[in-house]
Amino acid sequence: MNPDIRYSIVIPVYNEEAVIGQTYQRLKRVMDLTGEPYELIFVNDGSSDHTTEMIKRFREQDNAVKLISFSRNFGHQIAITAGMDYALGSAVVVIDADLQDPPELILDMIAKWKEGFDVVYAKRTKRKGETFFKKQTARLFYRILSASTDLDIPTDTGDFRLLDRRVCEELKRLPEKNRYVRGLVSWIGFRQTAVEYERDERLAGETKYPLKKMIKLSLDGITSFSFKPIKMATYVGSVIFASGLSYLAVLLLLKGFTESVISGWNLVMVMQLVLSGILLAMMGIIGEYIGRIYDEARDRPLYIVSECHGMMKKNRYVKKVV
């Protein structure tokens, strides 16, 4: 921790040229109100537009601005992780660059932190500008995750939160590759509380979490904190086995005590298709866990930094430090 920096604001960015200027101005205005030293850490997750050049221009006029650029796109959760790895403040705030999460709420988070809370997360009471499908799938995901694990992961929350320095230090001890940061923060514990807000619609640009990435994040969250999906294979197998025995008993009774003619090629085909589908689904669930085991066994770095601006070299993957 650097005693000269009180707050570190981590902003993961990916092709945000349409909004990054307003994001910087609002964050600067809010953080200046604290009257305490701060740093704005922009983590460039492999942007292909002019986002990087714009952030470099911000830095030319503001030493509080710092930039970490990845060698390629490693993903939102990894960008958050990198920002926290480099952060020097006593408190670290994670906020996206799209301004759906209001920077002004950071002041409320800081107030809660000064009351003694180690984690202050933003809880959405309303989601503006999002489709009915996205709202319902997000709601469903949080409920499934809550039912799948004994861990108390707050519902209707994202990665917008304030973390005390000691929470960040504990996060550094959790090196898993398929990361679900908000779940990891809940797993760590400490004193946590919420501040509520209405989430605005995206100011400009396109969402960086389309359906495919949302599904990936959901799988990371569920498989990282729950073994219930893999146990489901046993439960479903037991039910199918019991159903098969029951059906066999019914057929034997019909054959032995009635004149009924037992036929059922159609039924056999339907049962075969259903059972095959269930077995393949179970194999897919098991495969998800095996794939994550393989990821951990390879022990590759979480990210590779191509250049940094405004901070000390952090690891051997940094090629250029300015």
Side-chain angles (χ1 to χ4, degrees), residues 251-264:
L251 291 180
L252 292 175
L253 288 173
L254 290 174
K255 182 69 174 178
F257 299 99
T258 70
E259 299 295 327
S260 299
V261 177
I262 301 174
S263 61

Side-chain angles (χ1 to χ4, degrees), residues 44-234:
N44 173 34
D45 188 21
S47 297
S48 58
D49 61 1
H50 296 97
T51 299
T52 307
E53 290 74 17
M54 294 176 69
I55 295 171
K56 288 178 180 178
R57 287 200 293 270
F58 302 155
R59 171 152 179 79
E60 290 174 359
Q61 59 189 3
D62 187 354
N63 287 331
V65 174
K66 300 180 179 181
L67 173 64
I68 304 167
S69 282
F70 286 168
S71 60
R72 63 168 178 84
N73 180 261
F74 282 89
H76 181 258
Q77 299 295 294
I78 302 301
I80 291 173
T81 300
M84 291 191 289
D85 285 346
Y86 281 80
L88 300 174
S90 302
V92 179
V93 177
V94 177
I95 183 171
D96 288 338
D98 56 18
L99 293 180
Q100 286 187 277
D101 301 322
E104 293 74 18
L105 199 66
I106 293 174
L107 298 177
D108 295 333
M109 293 179 169
I110 290 174
K112 289 289 185 181
W113 175 62
K114 289 182 176 179
E115 289 177 13
F117 290 98
D118 300 295
V119 177
V120 185
Y121 53 86
K123 184 178 178 68
R124 308 167 187 134
T125 57
K126 186 179 293 186
R127 303 166 69 110
K128 300 178 183 178
E130 294 185 355
T131 64
F132 176 80
F133 175 77
K134 185 165 185 178
K135 289 178 182 178
Q136 293 305 311
T137 52
R139 183 177 184 275
L140 179 62
F141 162 66
Y142 285 119
R143 273 61 187 178
I144 291 175
L145 183 60
S146 178
S148 299
T149 176
D150 296 328
L151 188 65
D152 184 19
I153 301 176
T155 59
D156 301 318
T157 62
D159 294 304
F160 183 27
R161 61 191 61 216
L162 178 148
L163 309 174
D164 184 79
R165 163 54 47 188
R166 59 177 176 167
V167 177
C168 285
E169 293 301 318
E170 292 301 327
L171 277 172
K172 291 178 184 179
R173 299 174 56 201
L174 307 177
E176 53 237 61
K177 305 297 187 293
N178 297 283
R179 301 178 73 78
Y180 184 63
V181 174
R182 67 197 78 162
L184 294 175
V185 173
S186 295
W187 183 86
I188 288 173
F190 293 108
R191 293 190 65 197
Q192 305 196 15
T193 190
V195 290
E196 295 186 342
Y197 75 111
E198 292 186 5
R199 196 178 200 213
D200 294 327
E201 59 183 309
R202 170 177 268 274
L203 186 65
E206 298 179 352
T207 178
K208 303 307 183 293
Y209 264 108
L211 181 60
K212 182 180 178 180
K213 287 189 176 181
M214 285 298 297
I215 293 174
K216 168 70 165 57
L217 183 65
S218 301
L219 287 173
D220 288 343
I222 293 171
T223 56
S224 294
F225 298 98
S226 175
F227 292 107
K228 287 184 179 179
I230 204 167
K231 291 179 180 178
M232 188 169 59
T234 302

Side-chain angles (χ1 to χ4, degrees), residues 1-8 36-39 66 88-90:
M1 179 184 69
N2 187 332
D4 296 330
I5 296 178
R6 182 70 160 164
Y7 306 112
S8 296
E36 298 179 278
Y38 65 89
E39 60 181 354
K66 300 180 179 181
L88 300 174
S90 302

Side-chain angles (χ1 to χ4, degrees), residues 69 71 86 298-308 312-321:
S69 282
S71 60
Y86 281 80
R298 288 186 299 192
D299 198 28
R300 293 175 180 171
L302 287 177
Y303 55 88
I304 297 175
V305 176
S306 62
E307 59 178 319
C308 285
M312 297 178 62
K313 178 183 276 191
K314 188 70 176 179
N315 59 48
R316 64 190 177 91
Y317 301 101
V318 178
K319 294 181 179 179
K320 178 183 177 184
V321 180

